[in-house]
Amino acid sequence: MINALLINPERNLQDPTHMRMDFRHDGTGKHSEMYFKFDDNNLWGQGFRIEVEKNKGISTDGRVFTARGLMAMKRQFDELTEISELPSMRVYSITDALGEGGSMAQFVDMGIGLNIQSDNHLGEYLFTKSDKYFFKADTNASQIWDWIDKQITSSVYRGARTTPTVGGTWIPFSPSLDMVREALGLDADYFTNGKCESVGEDCNTFLNAVFRDGFAGQEQNQGSDPADWRSSVINNLIDADFLQSVYPQGYSDWNTPVDVFQPAYP
């Protein structure tokens, strides 16, 4: 158990202050866990936990390693008026002994506000985004991905939309809803007839189009499902498969009991 404040008091105030590491080795495999508590001055991060397991009973071309991670947040990255939920980021990854594997990164209860101009706001949305990656063992290959599939898997409109129905302009940039529909390839009646129109309605189609076309530099979806042992694990993950808490096993916060993060050296 390490107290970073005793090691380097001049450290960045955004960094973790405490770390705990647990190891368990037995006849079936090796299990390691690390817990990090972020500094109270960190604007977004509350805590982080990662768990790695090696299964000794699996052959070389099977699921030898499993890694899970969870980051708990203090606030949304955007300043949002209609969303009070706190987001989290969680990861589940598997590989064989040679490094071929798959993973899913999920951003849960993330909020986003699509503000175009002071008088033109496309609204606020709460969503979960699931990013699947299936990768080859040879990282020097020209194409290391078997499959990348990134999707908004659930979403809801929370309000604050002021974008006019028609009459917008591209220059100056202030499009109306009819222009947004056309640019993103949405149905002609989108934003009406219950399609991401009112608070509480599903907006998956809209947000997937925004992430596909509106965020430059991200990896594009590519390849296809390899339909192998990796698929049978990653494609069937449920909530219970992910880490549920960033706190050390058996505890519900960082401070109870008080010796959870006592320094290794007085």
Side-chain angles (χ1 to χ4, degrees):
M1 294 176 285
I2 301 171
N3 185 333
L5 297 174
L6 298 180
I7 297 174
N8 181 16
E10 305 302 320
R11 33 169 296 286
N12 188 322
L13 294 182
Q14 298 298 311
D15 291 343
T17 56
H18 298 81
M19 178 178 72
R20 169 172 165 158
M21 302 174 68
D22 294 343
F23 302 94
R24 184 179 72 253
H25 297 174
D26 55 35
T28 62
K30 299 180 178 182
H31 184 100
S32 303
E33 289 192 81
M34 290 178 285
Y35 308 86
F36 299 87
K37 177 185 181 297
F38 285 108
D39 191 286
D40 291 339
N41 292 293
N42 190 296
L43 296 178
W44 292 281
Q46 189 257 69
F48 179 68
R49 172 183 170 191
I50 186 169
E51 170 191 275
V52 180
E53 284 188 282
K54 178 182 180 181
N55 191 326
K56 292 182 178 180
I58 301 297
S59 62
T60 302
D61 59 351
R63 178 181 171 181
V64 176
F65 294 97
T66 301
R68 303 191 294 169
L70 176 66
M71 181 177 288
M73 311 300 290
K74 293 179 179 177
R75 53 176 286 189
Q76 295 285 349
F77 290 101
D78 280 347
E79 293 290 340
L80 303 169
T81 60
E82 306 299 326
I83 293 173
S84 59
E85 289 87 347
L86 294 179
S88 62
M89 189 270 289
R90 59 191 193 180
V91 177
Y92 194 104
S93 185
I94 54 174
T95 71
D96 62 19
L98 300 178
E100 181 180 76
S103 65
M104 179 186 289
Q106 276 197 340
F107 302 88
V108 182
D109 285 340
M110 292 292 291
I112 188 172
L114 299 176
N115 192 29
I116 299 174
Q117 298 289 347
S118 59
D119 59 347
N120 187 342
H121 198 304
L122 261 172
E124 295 183 2
Y125 307 85
L126 185 74
F127 65 91
T128 292
K129 186 169 183 283
S130 297
D131 297 350
K132 298 178 186 177
Y133 295 83
F134 290 73
F135 44 87
K136 303 178 185 296
D138 184 3
T139 57
N140 294 316
S142 59
Q143 174 56 268
I144 66 171
W145 304 115
D146 285 322
W147 189 35
I148 298 178
D149 182 59
K150 300 186 291 186
Q151 302 289 336
I152 303 292
T153 53
S154 65
S155 64
V156 63
Y157 171 53
R158 281 296 181 80
R161 185 182 295 152
T162 61
T163 302
T165 303
V166 296
T169 60
W170 290 121
I171 301 176
F173 185 69
S174 188
S176 48
L177 291 179
D178 60 331
M179 300 171 69
V180 172
R181 281 195 296 266
E182 182 178 2
L184 296 179
L186 303 174
D187 291 345
D189 63 344
Y190 207 82
F191 300 121
T192 65
N193 296 328
K195 297 180 179 180
C196 195
E197 175 187 16
S198 303
V199 172
E201 291 180 347
D202 175 292
C203 294
N204 286 5
T205 301
F206 168 56
L207 290 178
N208 273 313
V210 167
F211 275 90
R212 181 185 67 239
D213 297 330
F215 288 79
Q218 68 169 345
E219 301 139 327
Q220 296 299 307
N221 288 346
Q222 57 189 272
S224 59
D225 189 340
D228 57 13
W229 66 275
R230 298 170 294 173
S231 302
S232 66
V233 176
I234 298 299
N235 290 340
N236 293 293
L237 291 173
I238 59 175
D239 282 345
D241 293 323
F242 292 91
L243 293 176
Q244 301 298 310
S245 169
V246 295
Y247 304 120
Q249 294 280 12
Y251 303 117
S252 59
D253 56 44
W254 299 116
N255 302 311
T256 305
V258 295
D259 64 347
V260 170
F261 279 114
Q262 285 297 306
Y265 301 98

